[in-house]
């Protein structure tokens, strides 16, 4: 079957995003977002240019309002609804057809993702209620990383914390790392799903990954998405004793420290100016020292992470940049590569700066392993994993 349609849904705590995708086709046929749900300012906007108020709408109300707009774009029934779910824990190593048991499994992972999983479940429940005849699939951000070996996913903590309480490294952004590493295989003639890749997903959240023949071997994020790289407002790695230090010296409680590390740090904290790389590049060009420092730390720490991850691979076929920063910031790519000569990776400065924004391309110098810029497409990955799952399910389960 080809040309099937999938509605991809991403339920957030106060928003719901949706995109209508056609199988094997880049770009969305239609997308929409409803925001500030459960408040008097709730509203929606769509790719058709429609906007409207949805005062006090719940996720269910918003979906109910938006589905007729989706239906205008359907030339056949929806084959599936694909839901992004942040945390699948150790149970979910691939996409799952949603039923009561799978929903209970997502609920069981709420302690690991206390903000995200309940929000994802709200979207799932609304869609199952409004589209009861359509198979609904959960695609997990963590699932791709379940191939990591124990020496990569275990923390050096007493065993009980892992065995009883699930404290381990899980990793996130799995759909993006998988999508771009698959594409890299196609772009380099190694073949889809083949190759030894370092991937850098650099958006508001940032993570790096080592991928070998379509399997995640290690990644920078851990138990939560705070570990690893410098991000827009997240600190990434800090001394694990920082919590105790701040509590003792400043009297800060856990909420204050969590706010510091998740919302006030990263590019924003270092620059004192912004979490937005575009704005920081402009400020750096205007001589802003905080912006300059923030970009330097961001790139150095990224390079350090990639060099560290290289030990998870038998060789390096290439490095992939993706996400809003990775796809668009030639400066970030160039500064990061300055620190990576040790891996034999060398960038071609002209190709790097000439690459049209948002386009896939190769920017390595002659003799270097491939350096690729690949626009990520998590919605496409979710749509394709949803359809692949349906293709392997017995008919009775999807009817
Ligand atoms: P999200 O993680 O929310 O999906 P994106 O992947 O869209 O975020 O990435 C957002 C980041 O990409 C921001 O820091 C933004 O400044 C940066 N970005 C987007 N376009 C450019 C550009 N042309 N140059 C530099 N940075 C850019």
């Amino acid at each position: 079957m080809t040309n099937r349609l999938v509605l991809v849904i991403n339920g957030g705590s106060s928003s719901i995003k949706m995109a209508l995708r056609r199988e094997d086709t880049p770009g969305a046929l239609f997308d929409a977002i409803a925001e500030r749900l459960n408040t008097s300012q709730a509203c929606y906007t769509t790719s058709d240019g429609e906007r409207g108020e949805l005062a006090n709408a719940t996720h269910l109300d918003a979906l109910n309002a938006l589905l007729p707009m989706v239906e205008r774009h359907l030339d056949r029934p929806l084959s599936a609804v694909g839901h992004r779910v942040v945390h699948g824990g150790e149970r979910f190593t691939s996409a799952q057809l949603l039923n009561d048991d799978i929903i209970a499994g997502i609920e069981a992972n709420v302690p690991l993702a206390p903000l995200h999983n309940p929000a994802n479940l709200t979207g799932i429940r609304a869609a199952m209620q409004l589209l009861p005849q359509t198979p609904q699939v959960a695609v997990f951000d963590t699932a791709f990383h379940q191939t990591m070996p124990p020496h990569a996913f275990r923390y050096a903590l007493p065993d009980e914390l892992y065995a009883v309480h699930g404290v381990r490294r899980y990793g996130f952004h799995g759909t993006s790392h998988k999508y771009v590493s698959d594409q890299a295989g196609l772009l380099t003639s190694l073949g889809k799903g083949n190759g030894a890749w370092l991937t850098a997903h650099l958006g508001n959240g940032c993570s790096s990954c080592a991928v070998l023949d379509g399997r995640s071997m290690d990644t920078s994020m851990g138990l939560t998405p705070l570990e690893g790289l410098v991000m827009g407002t997240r600190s990434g790695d800090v001394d694990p004793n920082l919590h105790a230090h701040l509590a003792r010296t400043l009297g800060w409680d856990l909420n204050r420290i969590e706010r510091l590390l998740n919302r006030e740090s990263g590019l924003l904290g270092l620059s004192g100016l912004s979490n937005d790389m575009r704005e920081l590049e402009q400020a750096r060009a205007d001589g802003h020292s905080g912006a300059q420092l923030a970009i330097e730390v961001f790139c150095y720490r990224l390079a350090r992470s990639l060099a560290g991850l290289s030990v998870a691979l038998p060789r390096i076929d290439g490095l992939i940049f993706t996400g809003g920063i990775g796809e668009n910031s030639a400066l970030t790519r160039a500064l990061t590569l300055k620190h990576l000569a040790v891996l034999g990776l060398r960038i071609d400065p002209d190709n790097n700066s000439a690459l049209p924004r948002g386009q896939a391309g190769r920017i390595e110098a002659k003799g270097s392993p491939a350096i690729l810029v690949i626009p990520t497409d998590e919605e496409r990955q979710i749509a394709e994993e949803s359809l692949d799952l349906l293709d392997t399910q017995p008919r009775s389960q999807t009817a």
Side-chain angles (χ1 to χ4, degrees), residues 201-205 275-278 281 323-325 328-329 357:
H201 175 105
L202 310 174
N204 280 309
N275 64 328
D276 188 286
M277 185 58 92
R278 233 171 329 193
E281 283 192 16
I325 298 173
N328 297 299
S329 173
R357 296 221 158 109

Side-chain angles (χ1 to χ4, degrees), residues 56-135:
N56 301 312
T58 61
H59 287 72
L60 183 65
D61 299 331
L63 203 55
N64 207 11
L66 293 170
L67 280 179
M69 301 179 208
V70 175
E71 273 158 20
R72 293 207 295 262
H73 294 266
L74 300 182
D75 56 8
R76 65 199 64 211
L78 282 173
S79 292
V81 178
H83 294 271
R84 176 181 180 223
V85 180
V86 167
H87 218 305
E90 284 195 325
R91 175 171 170 194
F92 298 124
T93 59
S94 60
Q96 301 290 322
L97 191 62
L98 280 155
N99 55 32
D100 290 347
D101 176 46
I102 303 299
I103 288 177
I106 297 171
E107 270 168 351
N109 286 323
V110 166
L112 293 169
L115 298 178
H116 289 108
N117 273 24
N120 300 152
L121 279 166
T122 313
I124 288 170
R125 291 202 171 97
M128 289 180 88
Q129 190 171 329
L130 294 172
L131 296 166
Q133 304 304 324
T134 311

Side-chain angles (χ1 to χ4, degrees), residues 209-345:
C209 187
V211 184
L212 181 61
D213 295 334
R215 295 161 63 84
S216 170
M217 304 307 289
D218 197 357
T219 190
S220 61
M221 285 178 168
L223 175 71
T224 76
L226 185 57
E227 187 176 330
L229 305 179
V230 174
M231 312 184 205
T233 61
R234 289 183 221 146
S235 61
D237 291 341
V238 290
D239 186 323
N241 229 12
L242 181 64
H243 276 74
H245 177 77
L246 294 176
R248 265 193 234 109
T249 56
L250 302 178
W252 286 12
D253 65 12
L254 280 181
N255 285 336
R256 181 68 194 93
I257 298 170
E258 276 200 310
R259 195 165 84 234
L260 168 85
L261 297 176
N262 285 286
R263 307 211 171 279
E264 300 169 358
S265 298
L267 292 173
L268 173 66
L270 274 167
S271 68
L273 184 69
S274 171
N275 64 328
D276 188 286
M277 185 58 92
R278 233 171 329 193
E279 216 174 310
L280 292 178
E281 283 192 16
Q282 186 57 52
R284 175 183 180 272
D286 296 340
H288 190 288
S289 59
Q292 171 150 6
L293 178 70
I295 294 173
E296 275 171 12
V297 175
F298 181 93
C299 295
Y300 174 72
R301 292 266 298 266
L302 170 60
R304 199 174 72 157
S305 168
L306 293 166
L309 287 171
S310 70
V311 304
L313 300 173
R315 61 180 192 284
I316 295 172
D317 290 323
L319 165 63
I320 306 163
F321 286 98
T322 193
I325 298 173
E327 292 163 28
N328 297 299
S329 173
L331 177 70
T332 302
R333 298 191 299 254
L335 293 180
T336 303
L337 263 300
K338 272 194 171 175
H339 300 294
L340 285 173
V342 67
L343 299 183
L345 289 160

